[in-house]
Amino acid sequence: MLEIFSVCKQYTSGRGHITALTDISFSVAKGQSFTLAGKSGSGKTTLLNCLGALEQPDGGRILYNGQDICSMSSRQRAYFQRRDIGFVFQTANLLPWLTVAENLMLPLELNSIYGKKQKGRIEELLACFDLVGYEKAMPGEMSGGENQRIAFARAIAHKPALILADEPTSSLDSVTGYNLIELILSLCDVQGSTLVVATHDPELIELTNNRLYLKDGRIEAAT
Amino acid sequence: MRLRFIAKLSLLHLLRSWRTTVVLSFMVIFAVGALVFLAALAIGTNDAMIRNSIGLFSGHISGTNILPGSDTSLLQVEGVEHVLRRTEHRFLLWTDDIFETVLLMGVDPVQEKQSTVLWKKSVAGRYLLAGEEAIFINQETASRLQVEVGGQVKLGSRPGEVLKTFTVIGIYHTGISQLDQGLAFCPVEVFPKPDSPINVAVFLHYGTPTKTVVERYRELMPSATFKDWPEFMPDLKQLIDLNFVCMAIVMILVFVLVSVGISCAFLIFTLRNMREHGILKAMGILPVDTALLLVTQIAFLTIFAALIGEIAGIAAVALFSESGIDLTTLTSHNQYFSVSGVIYPRLTLASLLPSPLLAVFFGLAAAVWPAIYIIRKSPADILRSV
């Protein structure tokens, strides 16, 4: 499903020239759960951003179902992101001026899922993530754990083939984080979605099928 | 993404970020309202100058060299309110051995009092009554002749030949040199030479174009000379044009200042929400939809605020359009405000349209840079930068 060949990425920032990724190659099969593990600054987020087409690598190729996402036009990239990707950020990144239900509605609208189908899917997600009764609540009125649950619900709302999660449990306590990832893994199983998680949480790493350990932007180990 | 959904998102954003919306709206409302009022005030000032200048004596249209015996009732065409007929002849006026040349006008005192306000400019005595053997003279002539109200003046074509002896019934002063020098009035019934040439002062109904009436008059009386106020008062016409230009410059300057304010405020508003645009972009919103979302938000806000501002401006104009704004202390020595220094602000398309249109334009212009920024930057860059 995902094939990554010799991906490299460099930044220029106030700290000078930074090599974020060097010669990264691996593949992820459909339906797998995959961890990108490593310490802070190891390149996990950059790699995840490249996989989700949120930024372009400087070199190498990323094939999604055989199609190189690096050579896509901005329009093709946007359609790829809205249709095939569900992204969970380190923080919930919900739109603060939309209610819980309206935040869940966004990916459905983007994928032309309207009317009863949309309403049904939102109800399903609310029930699944234990958010029933919070439909009209604003993100600002919810706890961090609840917001992250909404973020997960939003990421899988349109049943994407690939879910990318960047340190999704870092702002949660270990029990809540663990339970949430277990829930996501079971939902991915049901939907047949592939999950790629960037984390340094050992418990979370243990939950996934495959792992890639990064250090200073290079692959340290793969299991 | 459907346009309806973009509009819905924009409205929800504005409604749920109501504090920001109110602050931004207030700025636009105040700016548009103030500019509408300012423009109406400028138009009102010009109106006041015209009203004062024509209402004192001359009317909107002046007709001269009309043959004695002409039927001036023909001039009562559509759009004309009053036609004041005046018989005029140059005479000598004297007391003892002091002589003054005056242009004596035989007028209908009742009609003159109805349409003009020269009678209000009396500094001594009163205005004429129909049929009385009295004369109403300007202060300068009275002073030269060393005559006061109640005094007698002799009138003739040459010294020694007394055609009439008048009692000075009133002395006036307008502050306008054409009226304050060598002009005197008597009732038409006692005018010494009734077969003298006639002139007319024509007063039009509000909104009647002067040029149309003048053209009609030239057809009716080809031998007479008809001029509308811009022709016989080119100084006033020039002053009004100058006033328009000055006001336009002031308005442009105010617009620029207000617009910069609006643009900056919207820029801050947009930059503050940059992260949300990054999130939407990461979810696969097309660049064009991102820009559209931004533009729709600002369009809704500015259109709504400009509409309220327009209503506020209209309300402010309405408040003063009846009572007027009394600027007598600032205009008392100005010939163009010789009758009244009260200004009545008036709305026209020119005062109503530019302010809201420019507010919306500059609001939208402020969305251009953030829209380009969001379109060009990758979602990761946007999320990293804010």
Side-chain angles (χ1 to χ4, degrees), chain B residues 66-76 85 198 200 220-221:
Chain B
I66 299 170
L67 297 173
S70 296
D71 182 10
T72 50
S73 65
L74 288 174
L75 302 176
Q76 193 68 48
R85 184 183 168 118
I198 297 162
V200 290
L220 286 169
M221 293 185 180

Side-chain angles (χ1 to χ4, degrees), chain A residues 123-187:
Chain A
E123 279 169 8
E124 200 180 314
L125 289 164
L126 290 169
C128 207
F129 284 87
D130 198 18
L131 291 164
V132 176
Y134 292 107
E135 298 90 326
K136 290 180 180 169
M138 304 303 288
E141 299 163 350
M142 314 282 279
S143 70
E146 285 166 335
N147 274 334
Q148 201 62 345
R149 268 190 282 159
I150 303 164
F152 266 111
R154 185 181 65 180
I156 66 158
H158 54 297
K159 299 182 179 172
L162 179 62
I163 296 167
L164 303 171
D166 183 13
E167 305 269 13
T169 57
S170 63
S171 57
L172 307 175
D173 62 83
S174 56
V175 179
T176 313
Y178 191 86
N179 290 341
L180 194 54
I181 292 298
E182 276 207 318
L183 176 65
I184 286 294
L185 283 170
S186 65
L187 286 171

